């Protein structure tokens, strides 16, 4: 394997249909269930809508890494501060921060030296459940006197 | 001689780089389906484009990297009322003519040539091989409205 799948799409009418289909295909390849696949598609739609304005050249670049049971999207390089603005712009009234609601992990990587990146990770349902159980166990242990 | 509708490599509307594996050809087809949706292309034309581009990608998967892994690059951009698709590798590439060692039937390039309106094999840079093809857009009225 010579690296992850990378895509660059210019802002405009091609961005959403192309990004969301590629995200869905890679989510399926990663073994995500249908609900999570739809979430990957929605994340890609949001990135296509708001991403181009937060990149230096109006092109959204996403590097997809599909491991077993998880799909990671590394979005960027973004302009300085672009990740925070992008997260804010993807909020919806009554829903809140869409990307954080849809994904299991959302983070900002500004340390790579090549610009700022938004990192979004979606996991399959069984991995999410296992993570939830671990979290609950840790919470109960820390609550014991 | 055919002249490639100009766009610097990497500056097309859509650019994809994937490990040259057979399963990734399906990802390229999904990206093309997205382009077709946005342009409102007719089903028959979408089928022709998908088959031609899949053949070009398949050639990269089978022939470009015999002893190693390497990237498959696909770039798509509209040029007037045409859609241009370039498929690239950074390995051995594939040229016309007999390839006795090839596991294929040798029908891929003729098939691409018959489905595309134009097709050309080029080497746009050192170590880079490219098949580019153009398709006249015959869509539902939205076709060709992109810059």
């Amino acid at each position: 394997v010579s690296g992850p799948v990378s895509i660059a799409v210019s802002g405009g009418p091609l961005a959403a249909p192309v990004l969301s289909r590629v995200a869905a295909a890679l989510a399926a390849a990663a073994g995500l269930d249908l609900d999570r696949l739809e979430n990957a598609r929605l994340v890609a739609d949001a990135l296509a809508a708001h991403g181009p304005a937060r990149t230096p050249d109006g092109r959204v670049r996403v590097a997809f890494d599909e491991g077993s049971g998880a799909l990671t999207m590394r979005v960027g390089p973004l302009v300085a501060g672009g990740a925070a603005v992008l997260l804010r712009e993807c909020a919806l009234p009554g829903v809140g921060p869409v990307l954080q609601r849809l994904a299991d992990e959302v983070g900002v990587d500004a340390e790579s030296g090549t610009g700022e990146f938004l990192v979004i990770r979606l996991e399959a349902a069984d991995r999410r459940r296992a993570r939830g159980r671990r979290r609950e166990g840790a919470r109960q242990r820390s609550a014991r006197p | 001689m055919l002249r490639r509708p100009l766009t610097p490599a990497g500056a097309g509307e859509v650019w994809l780089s994937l490990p040259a594996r057979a399963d990734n050809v399906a990802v390229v087809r999904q990206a093309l389906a997205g382009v077709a949706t946005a342009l409102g292309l007719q089903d028959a034309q979408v089928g022709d484009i998908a088959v031609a581009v899949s053949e070009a990608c398949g050639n990269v998967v089978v022939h470009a990297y015999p002893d190693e892994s390497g990237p498959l690059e696909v770039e798509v951009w509209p040029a007037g009322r045409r859609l241009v698709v370039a498929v690239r590798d950074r390995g051995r590439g594939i040229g016309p003519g007999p390839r006795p060692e090839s596991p294929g039937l040798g029908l891929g390039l003729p098939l691409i040539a018959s489905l595309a309106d134009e097709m050309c094999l080029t080497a746009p840079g050192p170590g880079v091989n490219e098949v580019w093809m153009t398709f006249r857009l015959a869509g539902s009225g939205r076709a060709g409205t992109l810059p």
Side-chain angles (χ1 to χ4, degrees), chain B residues 24-80:
Chain B
N24 278 337
V25 178
V27 178
V28 173
R29 288 176 74 110
Q30 285 297 321
L32 285 173
V35 171
T37 300
L39 294 176
L41 301 186
Q42 294 167 353
D43 287 349
Q45 184 164 38
V46 176
D48 285 353
I49 296 171
V51 170
V53 176
S54 298
E55 278 295 329
C57 293
N59 281 342
V60 173
V61 171
V62 175
H63 299 290
Y65 308 103
D67 302 315
E68 57 186 351
S69 57
L72 158 67
E73 282 183 27
V74 179
E75 196 155 3
V76 183
W77 67 98

Side-chain angles (χ1 to χ4, degrees), chain A residues 2-3 6-10 13 21 59, chain B residues 10 12-13 15-17 19 34 70 146:
Chain A
S2 56
S6 297
I7 184 167
V9 192
S10 299
R21 281 171 179 268
R59 287 162 67 81
Chain B
E13 290 276 327
W15 171 90
L16 275 162
S17 174
L146 291 170

Side-chain angles (χ1 to χ4, degrees), chain A residues 14-100:
Chain A
L14 294 185
V18 171
L19 261 186
S20 67
R21 281 171 179 268
V22 168
L26 293 170
L32 301 197
D33 39 284
L34 198 54
D35 274 356
R36 305 299 287 151
L37 189 149
E38 280 305 318
N39 288 355
R41 191 190 287 275
L42 290 170
V43 166
D45 278 343
L47 294 174
H50 299 287
R54 303 298 155 212
T55 64
D57 60 356
R59 287 162 67 81
V60 184
R61 291 173 178 77
V62 185
F64 292 91
D65 199 353
E66 32 114 353
S68 86
L71 178 69
T72 303
M73 305 183 205
R74 185 175 167 82
V75 186
L78 303 168
V79 295
V85 177
L86 185 51
L87 288 171
R88 261 201 317 275
E89 286 178 337
C90 288
L92 285 176
V95 177
V98 170
L99 295 182
Q100 290 95 323

Side-chain angles (χ1 to χ4, degrees), chain B residues 22-147:
Chain B
D23 53 342
N24 278 337
V25 178
V27 178
V28 173
R29 288 176 74 110
Q30 285 297 321
L32 285 173
V35 171
T37 300
L39 294 176
L41 301 186
Q42 294 167 353
D43 287 349
Q45 184 164 38
V46 176
D48 285 353
I49 296 171
V51 170
V53 176
S54 298
E55 278 295 329
C57 293
N59 281 342
V60 173
V61 171
V62 175
H63 299 290
Y65 308 103
D67 302 315
E68 57 186 351
S69 57
L72 158 67
E73 282 183 27
V74 179
E75 196 155 3
V76 183
W77 67 98
R81 293 194 62 80
R82 289 181 299 169
L83 187 71
V84 188
V85 184
V87 176
R88 294 186 202 106
D89 70 72
R90 292 165 192 275
R92 287 199 327 191
I94 186 169
R99 294 181 305 279
E101 80 288 3
S102 169
L105 298 172
L107 297 175
L109 292 177
L111 183 62
I112 296 169
S114 78
L115 292 171
D117 294 297
E118 298 171 297
M119 186 269 263
C120 195
L121 303 172
T122 63
V128 183
N129 308 290
E130 179 182 273
V131 180
W132 64 259
M133 54 206 109
T134 70
F135 303 89
R136 260 192 295 275
L137 297 174
S140 63
R142 281 187 293 154
T145 55
L146 291 170

Side-chain angles (χ1 to χ4, degrees), chain A residues 75-140:
Chain A
V75 186
L78 303 168
V79 295
V85 177
L86 185 51
L87 288 171
R88 261 201 317 275
E89 286 178 337
C90 288
L92 285 176
V95 177
V98 170
L99 295 182
Q100 290 95 323
R101 298 284 298 265
L102 292 170
D104 296 291
E105 289 175 33
V106 176
V108 179
D109 176 6
E111 308 295 322
S112 65
T114 53
E116 188 173 298
F117 293 83
L118 184 61
V119 183
I120 301 166
R121 181 176 168 86
L122 293 104
E123 294 181 348
D126 54 345
R127 288 182 67 144
R128 299 183 86 195
R129 279 194 294 273
R131 199 147 64 103
R133 281 196 297 271
R134 282 198 301 275
R135 235 184 237 153
E136 178 61 19
R139 194 188 62 75
Q140 287 176 358

